[in-house]
Each structure stands twice: as structure tokens, then as C-alpha cells.
Amino acid sequence: VSNDVAPGDAEQHDVASSVRSYLIGLFLAGALTAASFWTLRTPYLWAPGVGVALAALAIAQMGVHLVFFLKITTGPDNTNNVLALAFGVLIVTLLVGGSLWIMANLDRHHDMGAGWAHPSGESVQPQKLGRARLGGRE
Amino acid sequence: VSTVLASAAASADTPLAKRIVVGYGFWIFLLSDIILFSALFAAYAVLSGATAGGPNGAQLFHLDTAAMESGCLLLSSFTCGLGSAAATARHPRWFQIAFLVTGLLGTAFVGLEAHEFIGLVDKGAGPQRSAFLSAYFALVGCHGVHVSAGLLWLGTMMAQVYAKGFRADILRRLLCFALFWHALDIIWVGILTVVYLMGAGS
């Protein structure tokens, strides 16, 4: 008898509870997807908060998939699986967050010159950039 | 006492069951694949406003198509789980039915996505139009390629179960396939939110 369990294998020998887990996952994931579409279309939410709400719903749904479909649990038999997942989440956060941070910073501080479409969709006018330019360009 | 000591020594020294080692190794691969996708997500997030005077997401994306694609993929993840349960119960008929439905839903997803891509290219909104569309086709296309490869794998697993039955090695492959298919659905949740919902709302 080992102290470990493969990812996706939490209830290896109990078909009924396994099917129940997939049913719960389907229901929750479907509800969260529907909530995401509702969030986008409803007039009742403060518009600037919609993006944050969508992100929160997506992260919640990823959690539902991990627990009910991939059977990643917090049990002691799952420590290795959770540690690997945590490391993956760390790298993903660094990669996506770091890219957005660096590129936003470059946009603010760097005069990209004519012809560069600013991420806002408008081309950048040099005189609009109030901040100091990088050296050697003046 | 000696049996307790022997079993304690066994659990400390004997290698883990092969199923656990294979599942864990494939889990590491999937996480590395998710990191690959996160690079494409980062590129898309940085470039999503760089439309070069061309159309943006709000003008191009149809939320109805995205909703149908989400439904196909979520239901296919569910039926894939039912197929895994059928394999655990050693029930070939239910396994084949569940995996056939999984394959049909996955095919419907790929068909919807291909239809969407062709429509965009016809409108002149192909990957060469702007940095935004390059990043869009790279991210969503990479996921579509993964699903297509998964469909080939799925067909192979149906044939192997049919020909060889629920042998231990076949069951390990089924475990890996199910992990792969569920992981693709997780990545789709990110695409649906970041590309389609946030794109349509911008």
C-alpha cells in the first residue's frame, strides 16, 4: 500500500462516487460559465468591475475543474501533485504578470516613434508623453 | 510486530506503483504545457490592443459561437470522466459509448473553431492583419491543435481498449489521456474569459 495517488485517481475503486464527482463538476462549471456570460451582459454591474468579476469566475471554474475532473485534492496522498501544481501556478503568474508589467512600463516611459500603434488603439503622439524619454533620443 | 515492521519497511523502500509514477510524470508534462500556453496568453494580453487600425475583438468575436464551443468542451470533459469511470468498472460498452460521445463533442468543437477561423480570414482578419490577430490565432490555434491531437489519441485509445481490453498498460494510457483532455478544458476557460468575454466587453 502506498501513500500516494496519481492525479485523476482520487476515487480509484468507487465508480458511484467518481460519477457523482463528475456530475458535481459539470454542474458547477456550467453554472460558472453561465455566470460569466451573465456578468458580461447584465446592466446591473458597475462596468469597471466586470473584468475583475470575469477573472474571479474563471479562476473559480479552473478550481472546480482541478478538484472534480482532475481530482487534485488537499489530502496527504496528493502532496506531490499539489506541490507541482503550485510551482506551475508560480511560473504562470511570473510569466503573465511580469510580461504585462514590463510592457505597460515600457509603454509609459518609452517613446516608440511614429507608426507604433499604442495598445489603447491610438497611435502615440510624442507630445502627449509627459514623462522623461530614454536618453539619446532628444 | 515483525509483519508491522516488514510492511513499514516495504512502504518506505519499494517503489511506488507504476500507475502513480506515470500519472505524476504526465502531470508534470501537463503543467509544462500550461506554462507554454501562459507565454501565449502573455503575448495576447500585451498585444490585444495593437490592432494596427484593423478590427478589434469586440467587432470580430461572436459570443454565441464561443458559448457553443464552451458547452461542447465542458460536456466532452464530463463524458471523458464517465469513460474513465467505465474503465475503472471494466465495462467496455459504456467506455466506448462515453468516449465516442467525447470524440463527437471534441470534433464539434474543432469544427466550430475552424468555421470561426475561416470566417475571420474571409473578412480580411487573418493572422497577418495585426499583432492582435497574430497573437489571437497563435493562442486559440495552439489550443485547437491540442484538441485535434487529443482526438487522434482518443480514437487510438478506443481501438486499443477494443483490441487489447483493460490491461494495466492500457489503463495507464487512459489515465494520461483523461488528464490531457481535462487540462485542455482548463486552458479553454482561460481563452473564453481573456479572449472572448473580455474582448467582447472592451
Side-chain angles (χ1 to χ4, degrees), chain A residues 4 9 12 22 58 65 81 119, chain B residues 19-20 27 49 81 88 179 185 193:
Chain A
D4 246 339
D9 247 6
Q12 215 169 331
Y22 291 124
H65 283 252
N81 301 335
Chain B
R19 183 177 173 85
I20 294 166
W27 179 230
T88 305
L179 289 172
D185 205 10
T193 302

Side-chain angles (χ1 to χ4, degrees), chain A residues 4-136:
Chain A
D4 246 339
V5 74
D9 247 6
E11 290 144 310
Q12 215 169 331
H13 299 297
D14 186 351
V15 174
S17 67
S18 184
V19 170
R20 194 182 313 128
S21 161
Y22 291 124
L23 272 171
I24 295 171
L26 177 69
F27 173 76
L28 288 178
L32 286 166
T33 303
S36 294
F37 279 91
W38 180 84
T39 301
L40 195 64
R41 286 174 172 166
T42 181
Y44 299 115
L45 286 178
W46 183 55
V50 166
V52 178
L54 287 174
L57 287 167
I59 291 169
Q61 192 176 343
M62 287 174 181
V64 166
H65 283 252
L66 283 171
V67 171
F68 294 102
F69 289 159
L70 284 151
K71 311 282 177 74
I72 303 294
T73 69
T74 53
D77 52 4
N78 246 286
T79 311
N80 288 329
N81 301 335
V82 172
L83 277 177
L85 173 67
F87 182 67
V89 170
L90 172 71
I91 301 294
V92 167
T93 309
L94 288 176
L95 222 159
V96 177
S99 300
L100 285 171
W101 187 12
I102 289 170
M103 293 311 288
N105 216 29
L106 273 177
D107 267 343
R108 267 205 307 281
H109 291 294
H110 198 160
D111 176 11
M112 295 294 188
W116 171 269
H118 190 263
S120 70
E122 303 156 7
S123 61
V124 178
Q125 301 299 315
Q127 62 268 28
K128 282 189 187 168
L129 291 172
R131 309 293 295 263
R133 296 183 195 169
L134 296 184

